[in-house]
Amino acid sequence: STPVILTDIPGRWIDIDLSEQRLYAYEGRKRVGSFSVSTGTEKYPTEQGRFKIYVKYRYDDMQGSGYFLPDVPFTMYYSGAFAIHGTYWHHNFGTRMSRGCVNMETSEAEWLYNWADIGTVVNVHR
C-alpha cells in the first residue's frame, strides 16, 4: 500500500493502517518504527480519524461486556476507550481480533509508549 504521510505534522506522529494491520511511527516525514498490530473486528471496529493521545498508563485494567483484563501494559488512550497497548493474551498480530483497541506485542508497545508523548497525533485509516 502507499504510505500515508501527514506533511502538516512536524514532530512525532503515529499512523495506523487498518487494511495492513500495521502501525507506523514517524518523526515528520521519516518513518522510525513499523509494527504488526491487531485492531478491531467487524463487530467491534477500530474508530477511524485523526486523534491525539490524551492519557498514558504504564498499566491499566480494561473491562467491558464479557471481559476483564488486569494490568494491560503501556496503554495510551487516544479516543474515548480506544487505546494502543501491549497485549499478553494473544500473539496473533496482523489479524483483526480486538474490541477496537490497537493491540501490540508488549516490548514494541513499550518502545512506542516511551517514544510518544501526550498530544502525539494518531492517524487511523483503511
PDB file of all heavy atoms in Angstrom, residues 39-64:
ATOM      1  N   THR A  39      -6.130  -4.967  15.273  1.00  0.00           N
ATOM      2  CA  THR A  39      -7.141  -3.948  15.526  1.00  0.00           C
ATOM      3  C   THR A  39      -8.505  -4.612  15.647  1.00  0.00           C
ATOM      4  O   THR A  39      -8.616  -5.833  15.697  1.00  0.00           O
ATOM      5  CB  THR A  39      -7.122  -2.878  14.412  1.00  0.00           C
ATOM      6  OG1 THR A  39      -7.454  -3.499  13.172  1.00  0.00           O
ATOM      7  CG2 THR A  39      -5.754  -2.208  14.315  1.00  0.00           C
ATOM      8  N   GLY A  40      -9.557  -3.800  15.671  1.00  0.00           N
ATOM      9  CA  GLY A  40     -10.900  -4.282  15.927  1.00  0.00           C
ATOM     10  C   GLY A  40     -11.472  -5.178  14.858  1.00  0.00           C
ATOM     11  O   GLY A  40     -11.141  -5.074  13.674  1.00  0.00           O
ATOM     12  N   THR A  41     -12.354  -6.039  15.300  1.00  0.00           N
ATOM     13  CA  THR A  41     -13.070  -6.942  14.403  1.00  0.00           C
ATOM     14  C   THR A  41     -14.207  -6.183  13.714  1.00  0.00           C
ATOM     15  O   THR A  41     -14.482  -5.025  14.033  1.00  0.00           O
ATOM     16  CB  THR A  41     -13.662  -8.122  15.186  1.00  0.00           C
ATOM     17  OG1 THR A  41     -14.631  -7.609  16.118  1.00  0.00           O
ATOM     18  CG2 THR A  41     -12.586  -8.910  15.914  1.00  0.00           C
ATOM     19  N   GLU A  42     -14.891  -6.864  12.805  1.00  0.00           N
ATOM     20  CA  GLU A  42     -16.041  -6.253  12.137  1.00  0.00           C
ATOM     21  C   GLU A  42     -17.117  -5.871  13.156  1.00  0.00           C
ATOM     22  O   GLU A  42     -17.754  -4.821  13.041  1.00  0.00           O
ATOM     23  CB  GLU A  42     -16.603  -7.220  11.095  1.00  0.00           C
ATOM     24  CG  GLU A  42     -17.620  -6.588  10.176  1.00  0.00           C
ATOM     25  CD  GLU A  42     -18.001  -7.492   9.029  1.00  0.00           C
ATOM     26  OE1 GLU A  42     -17.091  -7.986   8.332  1.00  0.00           O
ATOM     27  OE2 GLU A  42     -19.218  -7.701   8.853  1.00  0.00           O
ATOM     28  N   LYS A  43     -17.313  -6.713  14.162  1.00  0.00           N
ATOM     29  CA  LYS A  43     -18.312  -6.440  15.201  1.00  0.00           C
ATOM     30  C   LYS A  43     -17.887  -5.293  16.121  1.00  0.00           C
ATOM     31  O   LYS A  43     -18.732  -4.540  16.609  1.00  0.00           O
ATOM     32  CB  LYS A  43     -18.558  -7.707  16.029  1.00  0.00           C
ATOM     33  CG  LYS A  43     -19.657  -7.574  17.044  1.00  0.00           C
ATOM     34  CD  LYS A  43     -19.940  -8.885  17.743  1.00  0.00           C
ATOM     35  CE  LYS A  43     -21.040  -8.723  18.772  1.00  0.00           C
ATOM     36  NZ  LYS A  43     -21.340  -9.971  19.467  1.00  0.00           N
ATOM     37  N   TYR A  44     -16.592  -5.161  16.360  1.00  0.00           N
ATOM     38  CA  TYR A  44     -16.034  -4.117  17.234  1.00  0.00           C
ATOM     39  C   TYR A  44     -14.948  -3.359  16.474  1.00  0.00           C
ATOM     40  O   TYR A  44     -13.751  -3.532  16.743  1.00  0.00           O
ATOM     41  CB  TYR A  44     -15.429  -4.736  18.496  1.00  0.00           C
ATOM     42  CG  TYR A  44     -16.395  -5.542  19.315  1.00  0.00           C
ATOM     43  CD1 TYR A  44     -16.372  -6.935  19.279  1.00  0.00           C
ATOM     44  CD2 TYR A  44     -17.335  -4.924  20.134  1.00  0.00           C
ATOM     45  CE1 TYR A  44     -17.249  -7.695  20.038  1.00  0.00           C
ATOM     46  CE2 TYR A  44     -18.211  -5.671  20.900  1.00  0.00           C
ATOM     47  CZ  TYR A  44     -18.168  -7.057  20.846  1.00  0.00           C
ATOM     48  OH  TYR A  44     -19.041  -7.797  21.599  1.00  0.00           O
ATOM     49  N   PRO A  45     -15.327  -2.523  15.515  1.00  0.00           N
ATOM     50  CA  PRO A  45     -14.313  -1.872  14.671  1.00  0.00           C
ATOM     51  C   PRO A  45     -13.500  -0.808  15.415  1.00  0.00           C
ATOM     52  O   PRO A  45     -13.974  -0.196  16.374  1.00  0.00           O
ATOM     53  CB  PRO A  45     -15.139  -1.235  13.555  1.00  0.00           C
ATOM     54  CG  PRO A  45     -16.493  -1.018  14.147  1.00  0.00           C
ATOM     55  CD  PRO A  45     -16.691  -2.140  15.133  1.00  0.00           C
ATOM     56  N   THR A  46     -12.289  -0.612  14.949  1.00  0.00           N
ATOM     57  CA  THR A  46     -11.436   0.462  15.439  1.00  0.00           C
ATOM     58  C   THR A  46     -11.887   1.754  14.775  1.00  0.00           C
ATOM     59  O   THR A  46     -12.062   1.807  13.555  1.00  0.00           O
ATOM     60  CB  THR A  46      -9.958   0.164  15.095  1.00  0.00           C
ATOM     61  OG1 THR A  46      -9.597  -1.065  15.732  1.00  0.00           O
ATOM     62  CG2 THR A  46      -9.040   1.269  15.561  1.00  0.00           C
ATOM     63  N   GLU A  47     -12.090   2.776  15.577  1.00  0.00           N
ATOM     64  CA  GLU A  47     -12.546   4.075  15.078  1.00  0.00           C
ATOM     65  C   GLU A  47     -11.487   4.698  14.170  1.00  0.00           C
ATOM     66  O   GLU A  47     -10.295   4.668  14.487  1.00  0.00           O
ATOM     67  CB  GLU A  47     -12.816   4.988  16.265  1.00  0.00           C
ATOM     68  CG  GLU A  47     -13.409   6.319  15.907  1.00  0.00           C
ATOM     69  CD  GLU A  47     -13.753   7.161  17.127  1.00  0.00           C
ATOM     70  OE1 GLU A  47     -13.366   6.799  18.253  1.00  0.00           O
ATOM     71  OE2 GLU A  47     -14.404   8.190  16.936  1.00  0.00           O
ATOM     72  N   GLN A  48     -11.935   5.240  13.045  1.00  0.00           N
ATOM     73  CA  GLN A  48     -11.027   5.903  12.108  1.00  0.00           C
ATOM     74  C   GLN A  48     -11.082   7.416  12.298  1.00  0.00           C
ATOM     75  O   GLN A  48     -12.107   7.964  12.695  1.00  0.00           O
ATOM     76  CB  GLN A  48     -11.403   5.559  10.670  1.00  0.00           C
ATOM     77  CG  GLN A  48     -11.232   4.084  10.353  1.00  0.00           C
ATOM     78  CD  GLN A  48     -11.559   3.782   8.913  1.00  0.00           C
ATOM     79  OE1 GLN A  48     -10.910   4.295   8.012  1.00  0.00           O
ATOM     80  NE2 GLN A  48     -12.570   2.954   8.694  1.00  0.00           N
ATOM     81  N   GLY A  49      -9.965   8.062  11.988  1.00  0.00           N
ATOM     82  CA  GLY A  49      -9.895   9.517  12.083  1.00  0.00           C
ATOM     83  C   GLY A  49      -8.535   9.958  12.577  1.00  0.00           C
ATOM     84  O   GLY A  49      -7.597   9.168  12.680  1.00  0.00           O
ATOM     85  N   ARG A  50      -8.429  11.236  12.894  1.00  0.00           N
ATOM     86  CA  ARG A  50      -7.195  11.819  13.425  1.00  0.00           C
ATOM     87  C   ARG A  50      -7.465  12.220  14.868  1.00  0.00           C
ATOM     88  O   ARG A  50      -8.397  12.953  15.154  1.00  0.00           O
ATOM     89  CB  ARG A  50      -6.762  13.032  12.616  1.00  0.00           C
ATOM     90  CG  ARG A  50      -5.373  13.519  13.023  1.00  0.00           C
ATOM     91  CD  ARG A  50      -4.958  14.784  12.339  1.00  0.00           C
ATOM     92  NE  ARG A  50      -4.605  14.560  10.941  1.00  0.00           N
ATOM     93  CZ  ARG A  50      -3.940  15.447  10.220  1.00  0.00           C
ATOM     94  NH1 ARG A  50      -3.562  16.609  10.733  1.00  0.00           N
ATOM     95  NH2 ARG A  50      -3.655  15.175   8.956  1.00  0.00           N
ATOM     96  N   PHE A  51      -6.632  11.701  15.769  1.00  0.00           N
ATOM     97  CA  PHE A  51      -6.812  11.885  17.202  1.00  0.00           C
ATOM     98  C   PHE A  51      -5.482  12.315  17.826  1.00  0.00           C
ATOM     99  O   PHE A  51      -4.468  12.409  17.140  1.00  0.00           O
ATOM    100  CB  PHE A  51      -7.269  10.567  17.856  1.00  0.00           C
ATOM    101  CG  PHE A  51      -8.401   9.907  17.132  1.00  0.00           C
ATOM    102  CD1 PHE A  51      -8.168   8.900  16.201  1.00  0.00           C
ATOM    103  CD2 PHE A  51      -9.706  10.292  17.366  1.00  0.00           C
ATOM    104  CE1 PHE A  51      -9.212   8.291  15.511  1.00  0.00           C
ATOM    105  CE2 PHE A  51     -10.764   9.689  16.686  1.00  0.00           C
ATOM    106  CZ  PHE A  51     -10.509   8.690  15.761  1.00  0.00           C
ATOM    107  N   LYS A  52      -5.496  12.527  19.142  1.00  0.00           N
ATOM    108  CA  LYS A  52      -4.269  12.781  19.899  1.00  0.00           C
ATOM    109  C   LYS A  52      -4.291  11.937  21.162  1.00  0.00           C
ATOM    110  O   LYS A  52      -5.347  11.762  21.785  1.00  0.00           O
ATOM    111  CB  LYS A  52      -4.149  14.261  20.272  1.00  0.00           C
ATOM    112  CG  LYS A  52      -3.891  15.153  19.087  1.00  0.00           C
ATOM    113  CD  LYS A  52      -3.668  16.579  19.520  1.00  0.00           C
ATOM    114  CE  LYS A  52      -3.362  17.436  18.289  1.00  0.00           C
ATOM    115  NZ  LYS A  52      -3.161  18.832  18.670  1.00  0.00           N
ATOM    116  N   ILE A  53      -3.131  11.420  21.525  1.00  0.00           N
ATOM    117  CA  ILE A  53      -3.018  10.689  22.794  1.00  0.00           C
ATOM    118  C   ILE A  53      -3.355  11.658  23.912  1.00  0.00           C
ATOM    119  O   ILE A  53      -2.772  12.742  23.999  1.00  0.00           O
ATOM    120  CB  ILE A  53      -1.604  10.111  22.971  1.00  0.00           C
ATOM    121  CG1 ILE A  53      -1.333   9.033  21.908  1.00  0.00           C
ATOM    122  CG2 ILE A  53      -1.427   9.542  24.386  1.00  0.00           C
ATOM    123  CD1 ILE A  53       0.108   8.572  21.850  1.00  0.00           C
ATOM    124  N   TYR A  54      -4.320  11.270  24.759  1.00  0.00           N
ATOM    125  CA  TYR A  54      -4.727  12.179  25.832  1.00  0.00           C
ATOM    126  C   TYR A  54      -4.348  11.698  27.229  1.00  0.00           C
ATOM    127  O   TYR A  54      -4.341  12.482  28.173  1.00  0.00           O
ATOM    128  CB  TYR A  54      -6.217  12.516  25.745  1.00  0.00           C
ATOM    129  CG  TYR A  54      -7.158  11.381  26.038  1.00  0.00           C
ATOM    130  CD1 TYR A  54      -7.560  11.100  27.342  1.00  0.00           C
ATOM    131  CD2 TYR A  54      -7.673  10.604  25.005  1.00  0.00           C
ATOM    132  CE1 TYR A  54      -8.432  10.059  27.601  1.00  0.00           C
ATOM    133  CE2 TYR A  54      -8.549   9.570  25.255  1.00  0.00           C
ATOM    134  CZ  TYR A  54      -8.927   9.305  26.565  1.00  0.00           C
ATOM    135  OH  TYR A  54      -9.800   8.284  26.822  1.00  0.00           O
ATOM    136  N   VAL A  55      -3.999  10.419  27.372  1.00  0.00           N
ATOM    137  CA  VAL A  55      -3.520   9.922  28.665  1.00  0.00           C
ATOM    138  C   VAL A  55      -2.730   8.641  28.436  1.00  0.00           C
ATOM    139  O   VAL A  55      -3.012   7.893  27.499  1.00  0.00           O
ATOM    140  CB  VAL A  55      -4.697   9.694  29.661  1.00  0.00           C
ATOM    141  CG1 VAL A  55      -5.581   8.540  29.218  1.00  0.00           C
ATOM    142  CG2 VAL A  55      -4.199   9.491  31.082  1.00  0.00           C
ATOM    143  N   LYS A  56      -1.726   8.412  29.276  1.00  0.00           N
ATOM    144  CA  LYS A  56      -0.888   7.214  29.187  1.00  0.00           C
ATOM    145  C   LYS A  56      -0.826   6.557  30.572  1.00  0.00           C
ATOM    146  O   LYS A  56      -0.712   7.254  31.576  1.00  0.00           O
ATOM    147  CB  LYS A  56       0.550   7.599  28.773  1.00  0.00           C
ATOM    148  CG  LYS A  56       0.673   8.136  27.377  1.00  0.00           C
ATOM    149  CD  LYS A  56       2.049   8.728  27.078  1.00  0.00           C
ATOM    150  CE  LYS A  56       3.206   7.829  27.365  1.00  0.00           C
ATOM    151  NZ  LYS A  56       4.485   8.346  26.861  1.00  0.00           N
ATOM    152  N   TYR A  57      -0.903   5.225  30.582  1.00  0.00           N
ATOM    153  CA  TYR A  57      -0.785   4.457  31.822  1.00  0.00           C
ATOM    154  C   TYR A  57       0.220   3.331  31.616  1.00  0.00           C
ATOM    155  O   TYR A  57       0.129   2.589  30.632  1.00  0.00           O
ATOM    156  CB  TYR A  57      -2.120   3.833  32.226  1.00  0.00           C
ATOM    157  CG  TYR A  57      -3.203   4.837  32.529  1.00  0.00           C
ATOM    158  CD1 TYR A  57      -4.272   5.011  31.661  1.00  0.00           C
ATOM    159  CD2 TYR A  57      -3.157   5.598  33.694  1.00  0.00           C
ATOM    160  CE1 TYR A  57      -5.272   5.925  31.934  1.00  0.00           C
ATOM    161  CE2 TYR A  57      -4.146   6.513  33.976  1.00  0.00           C
ATOM    162  CZ  TYR A  57      -5.201   6.670  33.092  1.00  0.00           C
ATOM    163  OH  TYR A  57      -6.192   7.584  33.366  1.00  0.00           O
ATOM    164  N   ARG A  58       1.125   3.187  32.546  1.00  0.00           N
ATOM    165  CA  ARG A  58       2.090   2.076  32.494  1.00  0.00           C
ATOM    166  C   ARG A  58       1.347   0.747  32.526  1.00  0.00           C
ATOM    167  O   ARG A  58       1.675  -0.176  31.814  1.00  0.00           O
ATOM    168  CB  ARG A  58       3.082   2.221  33.648  1.00  0.00           C
ATOM    169  CG  ARG A  58       4.073   1.079  33.814  1.00  0.00           C
ATOM    170  CD  ARG A  58       5.032   0.985  32.646  1.00  0.00           C
ATOM    171  NE  ARG A  58       5.968  -0.102  32.826  1.00  0.00           N
ATOM    172  CZ  ARG A  58       5.716  -1.381  32.557  1.00  0.00           C
ATOM    173  NH1 ARG A  58       4.541  -1.751  32.108  1.00  0.00           N
ATOM    174  NH2 ARG A  58       6.634  -2.299  32.736  1.00  0.00           N
ATOM    175  N   TYR A  59       0.322   0.679  33.374  1.00  0.00           N
ATOM    176  CA  TYR A  59      -0.597  -0.471  33.441  1.00  0.00           C
ATOM    177  C   TYR A  59      -2.004   0.073  33.637  1.00  0.00           C
ATOM    178  O   TYR A  59      -2.196   1.044  34.376  1.00  0.00           O
ATOM    179  CB  TYR A  59      -0.276  -1.391  34.630  1.00  0.00           C
ATOM    180  CG  TYR A  59       1.020  -2.134  34.508  1.00  0.00           C
ATOM    181  CD1 TYR A  59       2.142  -1.715  35.192  1.00  0.00           C
ATOM    182  CD2 TYR A  59       1.105  -3.267  33.709  1.00  0.00           C
ATOM    183  CE1 TYR A  59       3.341  -2.405  35.077  1.00  0.00           C
ATOM    184  CE2 TYR A  59       2.297  -3.963  33.595  1.00  0.00           C
ATOM    185  CZ  TYR A  59       3.409  -3.524  34.283  1.00  0.00           C
ATOM    186  OH  TYR A  59       4.582  -4.211  34.176  1.00  0.00           O
ATOM    187  N   ASP A  60      -2.976  -0.559  33.003  1.00  0.00           N
ATOM    188  CA  ASP A  60      -4.361  -0.155  33.194  1.00  0.00           C
ATOM    189  C   ASP A  60      -5.247  -1.393  33.114  1.00  0.00           C
ATOM    190  O   ASP A  60      -5.015  -2.276  32.280  1.00  0.00           O
ATOM    191  CB  ASP A  60      -4.783   0.854  32.109  1.00  0.00           C
ATOM    192  CG  ASP A  60      -6.101   1.528  32.414  1.00  0.00           C
ATOM    193  OD1 ASP A  60      -6.422   1.716  33.606  1.00  0.00           O
ATOM    194  OD2 ASP A  60      -6.822   1.879  31.462  1.00  0.00           O
ATOM    195  N   ASP A  61      -6.245  -1.457  33.990  1.00  0.00           N
ATOM    196  CA  ASP A  61      -7.225  -2.538  33.924  1.00  0.00           C
ATOM    197  C   ASP A  61      -8.259  -2.174  32.862  1.00  0.00           C
ATOM    198  O   ASP A  61      -8.737  -1.034  32.817  1.00  0.00           O
ATOM    199  CB  ASP A  61      -7.938  -2.720  35.268  1.00  0.00           C
ATOM    200  CG  ASP A  61      -7.007  -3.218  36.356  1.00  0.00           C
ATOM    201  OD1 ASP A  61      -5.912  -3.720  36.032  1.00  0.00           O
ATOM    202  OD2 ASP A  61      -7.373  -3.086  37.547  1.00  0.00           O
ATOM    203  N   MET A  62      -8.590  -3.127  32.016  1.00  0.00           N
ATOM    204  CA  MET A  62      -9.600  -2.915  30.977  1.00  0.00           C
ATOM    205  C   MET A  62     -10.707  -3.926  31.163  1.00  0.00           C
ATOM    206  O   MET A  62     -10.449  -5.108  31.391  1.00  0.00           O
ATOM    207  CB  MET A  62      -8.993  -3.072  29.585  1.00  0.00           C
ATOM    208  CG  MET A  62      -8.012  -2.009  29.231  1.00  0.00           C
ATOM    209  SD  MET A  62      -7.473  -2.195  27.525  1.00  0.00           S
ATOM    210  CE  MET A  62      -6.564  -0.672  27.345  1.00  0.00           C
ATOM    211  N   GLN A  63     -11.944  -3.443  31.056  1.00  0.00           N
ATOM    212  CA  GLN A  63     -13.085  -4.341  31.186  1.00  0.00           C
ATOM    213  C   GLN A  63     -14.239  -3.846  30.343  1.00  0.00           C
ATOM    214  O   GLN A  63     -14.326  -2.669  30.013  1.00  0.00           O
ATOM    215  CB  GLN A  63     -13.513  -4.481  32.636  1.00  0.00           C
ATOM    216  CG  GLN A  63     -13.942  -3.186  33.294  1.00  0.00           C
ATOM    217  CD  GLN A  63     -14.213  -3.402  34.772  1.00  0.00           C
ATOM    218  OE1 GLN A  63     -14.059  -4.492  35.298  1.00  0.00           O
ATOM    219  NE2 GLN A  63     -14.622  -2.358  35.442  1.00  0.00           N
ATOM    220  N   GLY A  64     -15.076  -4.780  29.985  1.00  0.00           N
ATOM    221  CA  GLY A  64     -16.271  -4.490  29.200  1.00  0.00           C
ATOM    222  C   GLY A  64     -17.194  -5.680  29.293  1.00  0.00           C
ATOM    223  O   GLY A  64     -16.989  -6.579  30.116  1.00  0.00           O
TER     224      GLY A  64
END
